[in-house]
Amino acid sequence: PLAVALLLGTAACTRNSEPPTPELPTETAAPPTATMEPMAALVNSEGITVIEYKVEVERFQASESARGKETPLEDASKIVLDDLINQVLLAQGATSAGFKLDEAALQTRIETLASQVGGQDKLAAWQAAHGYSNETFRTALERSLAAAWMRDQIIASVPSTTEQVHVQQILLYNEEKARSIKAQLDAGEDFGELAALYDPATRGDLGWFPRGYLFEAQIEDNAFSLQPGQVSDVIASEVGFHIIKVLERDPQRPLSPDARQTLQDQALQDWLKDQRVKSTIVLAP
């Protein structure tokens, strides 16, 4: 439970494909001192220790096993290291944004964790079993709290209302047929009747959605280029051939909970992607 509390849990939001990260050179200009703690990665010169990295890999694999999944060690290691790098980036962003964690707040958090695991002795035993000193444990905890604060700032920046369109579609799986249907529409056939013919259950109603919500960006781009009543040309996507009609448009419509969650996840992913481009990240060989 303690390891879960320490881990931010941003993996579901941040496991996107990202530019490859350079590796740490195998030789350095100055040899490390005997007291230097081994690092799994450096993020803008801030280290992620090998001890913390290994603890989180074990925790991740145990969690996956509990859910009946077996993730290969190589995959688990990459997922965990990416999450830890994201956590450091978020914590660094919090510091830049003026976040400060006072000693009292940190101590309160430690006492809460101790209570959750059965007391200070249990907490100390957990730290020792996982290779944490009091100092490194406090550092990891402080970083996770700062990262959580920054994550909350990012997702809170997503507005509750935004421009949205209400769209109906006709989806076909053959381009020739799709162009035949488009020709019928151009000749005056009713869009709603044709949509109901190919999708009797929903009549092709996609509902309201904002920019950044659909998986098929080309459909979204076309939808926001049309005015109510206008019909698109045939749009090819990975799932088929679409013809869409914009039924309504609202410049400030409240987001559905699902749409807002999607936009918040995307905002977090975009922020992290931007920070990775700006940052110097090196991995241990």
Side-chain angles (χ1 to χ4, degrees):
L2 182 60
V4 174
L6 284 173
L7 188 64
L8 253 184
T10 58
C13 298
T14 63
R15 291 178 198 162
N16 282 353
S17 57
E18 292 157 341
T21 307
E23 292 190 345
L24 283 172
T26 56
E27 296 182 2
T28 57
T33 63
T35 58
M36 179 180 290
E37 189 161 9
M39 296 293 165
L42 293 174
V43 183
N44 297 319
S45 300
E46 181 177 343
I48 297 170
T49 67
V50 169
I51 288 175
E52 181 180 11
Y53 167 57
K54 288 182 176 180
V55 166
E56 290 303 337
V57 171
E58 291 174 1
R59 183 209 63 80
F60 178 82
Q61 288 192 301
S63 175
E64 291 290 277
S65 295
R67 297 192 309 164
K69 296 179 62 179
E70 294 298 332
T71 303
L73 178 59
E74 183 178 355
D75 294 342
S77 299
K78 184 181 185 306
I79 289 168
V80 168
L81 190 56
D82 281 345
D83 278 355
L84 288 171
I85 290 170
N86 288 338
Q87 190 181 95
V88 173
L89 290 170
L90 285 164
Q92 290 173 349
T95 299
S96 297
F99 172 79
K100 291 183 179 179
L101 181 67
D102 60 46
E103 181 62 27
L106 181 59
Q107 188 59 40
T108 297
R109 181 58 177 152
I110 292 173
E111 290 171 0
T112 299
L113 287 173
S115 176
Q116 290 173 350
V117 299
Q120 288 289 348
D121 290 344
K122 291 283 184 67
L123 178 59
W126 184 92
Q127 289 178 216
H130 292 86
Y132 281 106
S133 66
N134 284 333
E135 181 180 355
T136 57
F137 177 74
R138 291 170 72 89
T139 297
L141 181 57
E142 185 173 5
R143 189 182 68 213
S144 73
L145 294 171
W149 181 89
M150 190 66 212
R151 179 195 58 199
D152 289 345
Q153 303 310 301
I154 295 166
I155 64 176
S157 69
V158 174
S160 59
T161 63
T162 191
E163 183 181 19
Q164 297 183 65
V165 288
H166 181 194
V167 173
Q168 188 176 25
Q169 78 165 349
I170 300 171
L171 173 61
L172 301 118
Y173 304 102
N174 178 282
E175 184 175 7
E176 184 178 351
K177 181 63 176 177
R179 298 207 175 276
S180 172
I181 295 299
K182 181 62 169 67
Q184 293 179 50
L185 292 168
D186 291 343
E189 290 285 340
D190 183 77
F191 192 99
E193 290 182 3
L194 286 174
L197 181 64
Y198 290 96
D199 182 4
T202 69
R203 297 177 63 90
D205 193 347
L206 297 181
W208 288 90
F209 57 83
R211 286 184 174 90
Y213 181 71
L214 297 184
F215 287 115
E216 296 85 6
Q218 62 271 45
I219 297 176
E220 195 173 277
D221 291 343
N222 274 272
F224 280 94
S225 72
L226 301 173
Q227 294 302 316
Q230 291 184 321
V231 176
S232 73
D233 198 353
V234 175
I235 306 166
S237 80
E238 292 184 0
V239 300
F241 299 89
H242 313 252
I243 305 168
I244 64 172
K245 179 179 181 178
V246 172
L247 303 179
E248 304 172 82
R249 192 166 184 151
D250 189 336
Q252 284 297 322
R253 183 178 178 83
L255 288 165
S256 68
D258 180 67
R260 190 157 193 240
Q261 178 69 57
T262 298
L263 296 189
Q264 288 175 334
D265 290 347
Q266 189 60 53
L268 180 60
Q269 292 166 9
D270 290 344
W271 187 93
L272 287 166
K273 183 177 180 180
D274 181 61
Q275 291 303 305
R276 282 183 178 249
V277 170
K278 296 176 180 177
S279 299
T280 301
I281 302 171
V282 288
L283 308 180

